């Protein structure tokens, strides 16, 4: 069994997939294998993978083609459930990995295990270099581009995610505690980061280790514009539903104070108007930035 399993969910990725696969074969760390699940592609994605398998049979551990279109969160969740390695990495079909991505990420995670023990859910994530369709650099640091608070407290992960799945590595304990992802989770990497922040440790490795390609078909891209006022209430409801799922899964492991905080967020989906705003203020369910919180109070 490989020490690291890379989990790749594909969907109509023929334009970018070959370049990603090439970048994987150039990794400085060799003890890895790829687990792929196709999410119902209708282009040449599967043909590209099978051709790559013929050339690198020892690197493709599993290729799941079941014809279902689950969406990225549940597709990646299926892959985690199929995994067996002690260390796991998510991979997006349109990115390009730097040759040291596995080596540096794994070293940082093993240092984290040495410090906090192997029994905790641990996650390491790196910065990303943003490029356009032609692979031209548009931002040398995804973190700087969005002014992420990399030292944010665990409570902040209830509302704000700073971990990109394609830039992360996590241990087996994190996989077992986090997956399968509940339907109410906003995204698989966001749910993973939330669990690791509350019950383990997250470490930000301050260097980009992949090109994060932006194009017209990104599901979640580097451009994170402010939400229009009409969408803020929708987002609050999504946070609330995810918090409710977090309580259902992990509530018995929380302190009384932490339980009250998460429960307050979970209840927002059932409140409207000033009742909802009062709950936000009373429990300080705020995001980073004055303008973001003003919009939250005005339009939640």
């Amino acid at each position: 069994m490989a020490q690291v399993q890379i989990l790749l969910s594909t969907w109509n990725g023929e334009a970018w997939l070959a370049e990603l696969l090439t970048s994987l074969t150039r990794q400085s760390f060799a003890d890895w294998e790829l687990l792929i699940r196709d999410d119902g592609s209708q282009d040449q994605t599967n043909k590209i993978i099978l051709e790559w398998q013929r050339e690198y049979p020892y690197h493709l551990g599993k290729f799941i083609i079941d014809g279902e279109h689950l969406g990225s969160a549940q597709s990646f969740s299926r892959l985690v459930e199929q995994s067996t390695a002690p260390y796991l990495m998510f991979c997006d079909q349109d990115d390009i990995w730097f040759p040291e991505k596995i080596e540096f990420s794994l070293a940082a995670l093993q240092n984290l295990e040495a410090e906090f023990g192997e029994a905790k859910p641990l996650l390491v994530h790196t910065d990303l270099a943003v490029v356009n369709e032609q692979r031209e650099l548009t931002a040398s640091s995804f973190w700087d581009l969005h002014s992420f608070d990399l030292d944010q407290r665990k409570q902040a992960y209830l509302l704000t995610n700073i971990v990109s799945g394609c830039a992360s590595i996590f241990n087996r304990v994190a996989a077992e505690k986090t997956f399968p992802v509940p339907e109410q989770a906003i995204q698989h990497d966001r749910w993973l980061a939330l669990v690791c922040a509350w019950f383990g440790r997250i470490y930000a490795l301050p260097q980009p280790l992949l090109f994060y390609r932006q194009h017209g078909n990104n599901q979640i891209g580097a451009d994170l514009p402010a939400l229009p006022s009409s969408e803020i209430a929708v987002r609050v409801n999504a946070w609330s539903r995810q918090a409710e799922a977090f309580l259902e899964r992990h509530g018995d492991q929380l302190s009384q104070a932490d339980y009250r905080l998460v429960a307050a967020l979970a209840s927002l989906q059932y409140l409207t108007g000033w009742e909802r705003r009062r709950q936000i203020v009373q429990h300080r369910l705020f995001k980073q930035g004055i303008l973001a919180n003003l919009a939250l109070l005005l339009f939640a």
Side-chain angles (χ1 to χ4, degrees):
M1 180 183 67
Q3 189 176 22
V4 176
Q5 286 178 328
I6 301 169
L7 311 181
L8 170 62
S9 177
T10 57
W11 185 63
N12 294 339
E14 64 179 8
W16 322 111
L17 190 55
E19 197 166 9
L20 165 71
L21 294 173
T22 296
S23 74
L24 297 183
T25 62
R26 294 173 178 170
Q27 290 297 299
S28 59
F29 179 87
D31 189 15
W32 61 270
E33 67 177 7
L34 188 60
L35 272 59
I36 305 176
R37 180 187 178 275
D38 185 72
D39 201 32
S41 293
Q42 298 178 354
D43 62 359
Q44 298 299 307
T45 290
N46 293 338
K47 179 182 178 183
I48 292 169
I49 293 169
L50 292 172
E51 290 175 351
W52 183 83
Q53 180 186 29
R54 284 194 289 271
E55 188 171 357
Y56 301 97
Y58 48 88
H59 271 320
L60 185 56
K62 190 172 293 188
F63 184 20
I64 303 169
I65 310 175
D66 55 25
E68 290 186 86
H69 181 63
L70 303 176
S72 62
Q74 292 303 320
S75 186
F76 276 112
S77 186
R78 287 270 183 96
L79 282 166
V80 175
E81 292 173 64
Q82 293 290 319
S83 70
T84 55
Y87 305 107
L88 304 175
M89 304 179 78
F90 290 131
C91 182
D92 288 348
Q93 64 187 9
D94 44 10
D95 295 333
I96 304 165
W97 285 26
F98 295 179
E100 306 83 9
K101 187 174 189 295
I102 301 177
E103 178 187 355
F104 289 1
S105 299
L106 178 60
L109 184 54
Q110 290 177 329
N111 288 338
L112 213 59
E113 285 183 328
E115 182 176 358
F116 297 105
E118 298 179 6
K120 283 186 176 295
L122 303 173
L123 180 149
V124 169
H125 66 117
T126 77
D127 203 351
L128 310 88
V130 184
V131 297
N132 62 18
E133 288 192 50
Q134 290 73 40
R135 201 171 160 178
E136 298 166 336
L137 187 69
T138 60
S140 60
S141 169
F142 179 69
W143 293 350
D144 290 347
L145 184 63
H146 297 291
S147 302
F148 282 157
D149 177 8
L150 299 174
D151 297 317
Q152 69 178 21
R153 299 165 58 218
K154 68 179 185 181
Q155 292 84 353
Y157 282 90
L158 291 166
L159 306 180
T160 303
N161 181 47
I162 59 171
V163 173
S164 300
C166 61
S168 65
I169 184 171
F170 52 103
N171 63 0
R172 172 54 50 185
V173 176
E176 293 174 352
K177 194 170 186 66
T178 303
F179 295 89
V181 169
E183 292 290 341
Q184 303 97 314
I186 297 173
Q187 195 50 262
H188 61 286
D189 50 2
R190 190 175 185 123
W191 180 257
L192 172 65
L194 177 62
V195 172
C196 289
W198 278 70
F199 299 110
R201 288 290 188 277
I202 293 177
Y203 175 72
L205 186 60
Q207 65 185 103
L209 287 176
L210 73 157
F211 285 128
Y212 187 35
R213 195 199 304 263
Q214 299 302 290
H215 52 83
N217 296 321
N218 290 103
Q219 181 173 10
I220 299 176
D223 185 17
L224 302 175
L227 283 176
S229 59
S230 59
E231 292 295 317
I232 291 176
V234 175
R235 181 61 59 88
V236 172
N237 286 335
W239 296 335
S240 182
R241 287 191 296 270
Q242 180 171 264
E244 188 172 54
F246 188 73
L247 282 183
E248 292 173 359
R249 183 81 62 91
H250 302 295
D252 59 350
Q253 303 162 57
L254 302 179
S255 68
Q256 288 186 354
D258 285 343
Y259 191 97
R260 285 195 297 270
L261 175 67
V262 181
L265 178 58
S267 71
L268 291 183
Q269 61 189 303
Y270 305 111
L271 303 176
T272 58
W274 287 108
E275 286 187 344
R276 177 182 274 205
R277 292 171 176 82
R278 183 166 55 246
Q279 185 87 320
I280 290 172
V281 172
Q282 179 180 348
H283 294 276
R284 301 189 61 79
L285 300 172
F286 295 132
K287 291 179 65 66
Q288 183 181 356
I290 295 174
L291 292 179
N293 289 316
L294 180 61
L296 185 62
L297 291 175
L298 285 174
F299 301 109

